[in-house]
C-alpha cells in the first residue's frame, strides 16, 4: 500500500515542479518586456492652500481651552517666532530654508516631549495631530529647498522655555504664519503656482 502511494506522490510533485518552471518562464518573459524607467527627481510643488489648512488646524489647537491639562511637568524648548521683515528679505534663500527647517525640528522635538508628558486624551489628540502636520510641513519645506541647503548645518535660533501646551500651540501657529509662510511665498515653485 505504501508503495502504490509513493509513485502517486512522486507524480504530483513532478506536476508541481513543471508548473513552477512554467510560471518562472512566464515571469522571465514578462520581466523582459518591462523596461526600467529612469527616475526623475520629484518636482517641488507649492500649494499655499495646504499650508493654510495647517495654519487653521494650528489656530484651532491654540484656541483650545485647557486649565490643568495644559501645564507640563518639565521645560520645553521652543524657537522664538518674531520675524524682522527687513532682515528676512535680505537673507539668501538657503539661510531662510535652514532657519525654517531648524525651527520645525525644534517644534517637532517640543511636541514629542509634550506628548510624553501629557495624559489628557483631548490634548494628546491635538499634540499628535500637530506632530503629524509638522512632519508634513517639514517635507514640503525640504521639497522646496535645494540640495546644498539640505546639507547645511542647522541654524542657531533664539529659543525660550515653556511649561504649557498653550504656549507650544501658539508658537507653532506663529511660526507657520511667519517664517514658514514667508519662506514658501518666496520660493520659485510657489511664485509659479500663485501667478
Amino acid at each position: 500500500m505504501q508503495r502504490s502511494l509513493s509513485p502517486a506522490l512522486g507524480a504530483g510533485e513532478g506536476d508541481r515542479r513543471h508548473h513552477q518552471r512554467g510560471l518562472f518562464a512566464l515571469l522571465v518573459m514578462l520581466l523582459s518586456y518591462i523596461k526600467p524607467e529612469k527616475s526623475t527627481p520629484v518636482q517641488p510643488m507649492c500649494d499655499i492652500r495646504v499650508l493654510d489648512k495647517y495654519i487653521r488646524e494650528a489656530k484651532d489647537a491654540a484656541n483650545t481651552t485647557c486649565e490643568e491639562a495644559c501645564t507640563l511637568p518639565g521645560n520645553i524648548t521652543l524657537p522664538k517666532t518674531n520675524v524682522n521683515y527687513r532682515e528676512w528679505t535680505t537673507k539668501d534663500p538657503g539661510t531662510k530654508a535652514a532657519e525654517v527647517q531648524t525651527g520645525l525640528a525644534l517644534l517637532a522635538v517640543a511636541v514629542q516631549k509634550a506628548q510624553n508628558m501629557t495624559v489628557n486624551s483631548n490634548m494628546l489628540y491635538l499634540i499628535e495631530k500637530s506632530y503629524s502636520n509638522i512632519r508634513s510641513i517639514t517635507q514640503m519645506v525640504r521639497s522646496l529647498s535645494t540640495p546644498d541647503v539640505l546639507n547645511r548645518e542647522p541654524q542657531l535660533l533664539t529659543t525660550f522655555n515653556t511649561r504649557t501646551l498653550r504656549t507650544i500651540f501658539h508658537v507653532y501657529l506663529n511660526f507657520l504664519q511667519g517664517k514658514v509662510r514667508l519662506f514658501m511665498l518666496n520660493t520659485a515653485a510657489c511664485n509659479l503656482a500663485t501667478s
Side-chain angles (χ1 to χ4, degrees):
M1 193 177 208
Q2 288 178 347
R3 288 186 182 191
S4 63
L5 289 176
S6 292
L9 288 174
E13 287 178 24
D15 288 343
R16 190 172 356 138
R17 286 185 189 151
H18 179 71
H19 288 294
Q20 286 175 346
R21 277 190 235 135
L23 286 173
F24 181 72
L26 179 63
L27 182 63
V28 169
M29 287 179 8
L30 287 173
L31 290 176
S32 67
Y33 287 110
I34 299 173
K35 294 180 182 167
E37 292 287 325
K38 290 184 181 179
S39 64
T40 57
V42 176
Q43 295 297 318
M45 292 187 58
C46 180
D47 188 347
I48 208 69
R49 294 173 297 182
V50 174
L51 179 62
D52 289 340
K53 173 190 164 288
Y54 292 134
I55 289 172
R56 281 190 305 277
E57 291 177 3
K59 197 175 290 184
D60 291 344
N63 291 332
T64 300
T65 56
C66 59
E67 299 304 320
E68 293 133 24
C70 278
T71 305
L72 301 170
N75 282 331
I76 305 284
T77 303
L78 295 168
K80 287 201 173 179
T81 59
N82 54 330
V83 180
N84 181 327
Y85 187 72
R86 284 187 187 155
E87 280 182 29
W88 183 261
T89 56
T90 62
K91 292 180 181 182
D92 67 281
T95 301
K96 292 175 185 178
E99 277 187 35
V100 169
Q101 289 177 14
T102 302
L104 288 169
L106 278 171
L107 284 168
V109 169
V111 170
Q112 273 190 314
K113 282 184 179 179
Q115 181 179 8
N116 294 335
M117 296 178 187
T118 304
V119 293
N120 181 294
S121 61
N122 292 333
M123 292 294 107
L124 276 173
Y125 171 75
L126 291 173
I127 291 169
E128 289 167 359
K129 189 172 188 176
S130 297
Y131 181 72
S132 175
N133 289 353
I134 290 169
R135 289 178 51 94
S136 297
I137 294 163
T138 300
Q139 289 303 318
M140 287 171 49
V141 169
R142 288 179 64 81
S143 77
L144 296 169
S145 302
T146 57
D148 65 310
V149 171
L150 298 175
N151 297 324
R152 279 190 185 187
E153 289 293 315
Q155 288 290 112
L156 292 176
L157 298 179
T158 308
T159 61
F160 71 100
N161 291 328
T162 187
R163 286 180 171 243
T164 69
L165 285 174
R166 176 168 283 133
T167 304
I168 293 171
F169 289 140
H170 279 283
V171 167
Y172 169 47
L173 172 63
N174 291 339
F175 196 76
L176 293 184
Q177 290 176 324
K179 288 186 178 182
V180 174
R181 187 174 189 79
L182 286 172
F183 168 75
M184 289 184 71
L185 288 175
N186 289 319
T187 61
C190 290
N191 285 334
L192 289 173
T194 57
S195 59

